[in-house]
Amino acid sequence: MGSYSHNQALLPILRLIAHHAPTEEEQWVLLESLCLGIGKLHQRSPRDTALYIETMSERIATGERT
């Protein structure tokens, strides 16, 4: 999936999040819930999900994911 496809998939999701959670804090709570839900969908334990999220945050922090 290229960046155009990512953007096309994410734009409606971001609009929904912004509509239902107008503050940044509420949006982060929704994002946290989405991460947990995706982890459960793939039968990850809470710890495994947290490790996956930690890997994502490292990629963001190092600029690997912009």
Side-chain angles (χ1 to χ4, degrees):
M1 182 179 268
S3 63
Y4 178 79
S5 296
H6 279 129
N7 292 343
Q8 291 300 306
L10 290 175
L11 188 56
I13 295 167
L14 292 172
R15 286 184 178 142
L16 279 170
I17 289 171
H19 175 75
H20 292 283
T23 68
E24 182 180 358
E25 292 80 10
E26 292 171 313
Q27 292 166 5
W28 282 112
V29 169
L30 281 180
L31 182 59
E32 182 181 48
S33 298
L34 282 170
C35 289
L36 287 169
I38 290 171
K40 285 190 175 283
L41 180 69
H42 295 283
Q43 300 176 343
R44 292 183 182 270
S45 70
R47 180 173 293 285
D48 287 342
T49 300
L51 289 172
Y52 201 85
I53 294 167
E54 187 175 327
T55 300
M56 288 190 302
S57 67
E58 186 66 28
R59 290 175 49 152
I60 292 168
T62 63
E64 184 178 345
R65 186 78 173 148
T66 58

